[in-house]
């Protein structure tokens, strides 16, 4: 399910820490990793040469930090627009997962500051793991999936079970905000009950939680109170193909659930749109 990982590095080290935690999971250990650093266009040839030299050092330090089998790692130093280059490389290598750092900027601020991770998130159809600068990256044993009836939520469930099935003592936290009957026990909620049944096939322990209120706020609250190591959220791509060439300002400035969770969750967030086959 995750055989090719693309990680964008910028010298801060959090993405590398996140990948190291992921690579401890047995189901991912065979994955190949492409480590990418993109150098934007510079005003002069000398400035570009200096930036490329700096980028080479960042790549070398990242690969050394990851300490992976050299046969499984490919270093890519690219020159160009970081936003579009990440998307292009993800398509080129057919990445199953993109890992990027995120400053946790709000929607409007992301636009004004030209956030690379925000741009990539808007345009890619591939699962994307965002690691904010202000969070603590932990070994992954507890994964929360925000459930509903959408296909993207089901894809998140499949991916979470892929990760957890070989983790000793791992736990799947299943949440459903605003279920049809908020007075019913979480285990009786049809959406969560179906997810629990799927988890039992893999021997994965589960915990079910329901809540009522604003979905983004409740998802972030449950993740924090449950002290999960990774939060997974389905993010359906509702954008028409004609809009793929530019950032969708309506969604960025609107009430996007995935945007809210990306900004306010206190743990790494994995957003999935594409179908994840086992």
């Amino acid at each position: 399910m995750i055989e090719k990982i693309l990680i964008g590095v910028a010298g801060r080290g959090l993405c590398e820490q996140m990948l190291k935690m992921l690579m401890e999971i047995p189901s991912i250990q065979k994955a190949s990793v492409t480590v990418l650093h993109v150098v934007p266009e510079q005003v002069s040839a000398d400035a570009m040469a200096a930036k490329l030299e700096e980028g080479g050092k960042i790549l070398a330090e990242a690969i050394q930090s990851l300490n992976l089998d050299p046969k499984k790692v490919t270093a890519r130093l690219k020159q160009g627009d970081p936003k579009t280059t990440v998307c292009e490389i993800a398509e080129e290598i057919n990445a199953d997962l993109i890992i990027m750092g995120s400053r946790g900027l709000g929607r409007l601020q992301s636009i004004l500051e030209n956030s690379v991770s925000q741009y990539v998130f808007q345009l890619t159809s591939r699962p994307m793991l965002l690691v904010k600068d202000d969070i603590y990256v932990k070994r992954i044993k507890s994964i929360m999936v925000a459930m509903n009836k959408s296909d993207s939520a089901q894809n998140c469930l499949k991916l979470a079970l892929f990760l957890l099935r070989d983790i000793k003592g791992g736990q799947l936290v299943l949440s459903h905000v605003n279920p049809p009957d908020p007075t019913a026990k979480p285990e009786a909620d049809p959406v969560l009950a179906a997810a629990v049944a799927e988890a039992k096939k893999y021997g994965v322990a589960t915990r079910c939680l329901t809540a009522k209120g604003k979905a983004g706020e409740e998802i972030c609250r449950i993740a924090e109170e449950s002290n999960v190591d990774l939060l997974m959220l389905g993010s359906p791509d509702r954008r028409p193909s004609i809009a793929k060439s530019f950032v969708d300002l309506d969604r960025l400035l609107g009430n996007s659930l995935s945007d809210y969770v990306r900004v306010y969750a206190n743990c790494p967030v994995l957003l999935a749109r594409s179908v994840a086959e086992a």
Side-chain angles (χ1 to χ4, degrees):
M1 186 180 286
I2 296 181
E3 298 179 347
K4 298 176 182 178
I5 299 173
L6 173 63
I7 174 173
V9 297
R12 293 191 292 272
L14 278 179
C15 287
E16 293 92 316
Q17 290 180 35
M18 186 75 248
L19 180 58
K20 288 170 75 172
M21 296 297 102
L22 282 174
M23 295 303 286
E24 291 185 2
I25 300 174
S27 56
I28 291 188
Q29 289 173 356
K30 294 182 180 180
S32 63
V33 177
T34 297
V35 185
L36 172 67
H37 179 74
V38 184
V39 178
E41 296 291 342
Q42 301 296 310
V43 295
S44 69
D46 288 343
M48 177 56 72
K51 281 294 184 181
L52 287 171
E53 182 179 357
E54 178 186 346
K57 291 179 181 178
I58 289 173
L59 269 179
E61 290 172 358
I63 291 174
Q64 183 178 16
S65 170
L66 291 171
N67 193 30
L68 298 174
D69 183 349
K71 296 178 182 178
K72 297 180 180 178
V73 181
T74 301
R76 300 288 296 270
L77 179 62
K78 299 290 289 185
Q79 177 182 333
D81 184 341
K83 301 186 298 298
T84 56
T85 302
V86 172
C87 294
E88 289 168 359
I89 297 298
E91 291 299 315
E92 178 185 319
I93 69 170
N94 194 23
D96 301 307
L97 178 66
I98 301 171
I99 302 176
M100 292 189 70
S102 170
R103 288 170 292 169
L105 302 174
R107 289 183 288 273
L108 178 58
Q109 192 179 2
S110 290
I111 298 171
L112 298 178
E113 297 198 16
N114 206 21
S115 168
V116 175
S117 62
Q118 176 65 39
Y119 183 97
V120 175
F121 162 58
Q122 286 294 313
L123 294 187
T124 188
S125 62
R126 300 175 184 277
M128 185 171 179
L129 177 51
L130 294 167
V131 188
K132 286 197 302 182
D133 289 348
D134 59 351
I135 64 169
Y136 178 67
V137 176
K138 300 181 290 182
R139 181 172 284 105
I140 297 174
K141 295 196 72 174
S142 175
I143 298 177
M144 173 176 159
V145 178
M147 294 297 302
N148 54 38
K149 293 182 179 180
S150 70
D151 289 340
S152 56
Q154 296 302 317
N155 293 336
C156 279
L157 175 63
K158 291 178 183 178
L159 185 53
L161 293 175
F162 169 77
L163 297 175
L164 285 168
R165 63 190 181 188
D166 294 322
I167 298 178
K168 186 177 181 180
Q171 183 185 54
L172 175 63
V173 177
L174 297 164
S175 68
H176 190 191
V177 178
N178 297 323
D181 183 3
T183 63
K185 292 183 178 180
E187 294 77 8
D189 177 71
V191 170
L192 298 187
V196 170
E198 192 66 21
K200 285 183 178 179
K201 296 178 183 179
Y202 298 95
V204 175
T206 57
R207 181 185 177 197
C208 296
L209 297 165
T210 55
K212 184 178 180 180
K214 294 183 178 179
E217 294 178 8
E218 291 303 312
I219 288 170
C220 291
R221 178 187 64 78
I222 293 171
E224 182 171 6
E225 292 181 357
S226 301
N227 194 30
V228 298
D229 307 316
L230 177 64
L231 169 58
M232 297 180 61
L233 177 71
S235 180
D237 190 354
R238 303 184 184 90
R239 305 179 63 212
S241 58
I242 194 173
K244 292 296 186 181
S245 60
F246 56 87
V247 176
D248 187 336
L249 296 181
D250 290 337
R251 282 198 65 200
L252 288 176
L253 295 173
N255 294 317
S256 166
L257 172 60
S258 51
D259 262 340
Y260 185 95
V261 173
R262 173 189 67 83
V263 172
Y264 294 107
N266 72 334
C267 63
V269 176
L270 195 156
L271 300 162
R273 290 190 178 107
S274 58
V275 175
E277 297 294 341

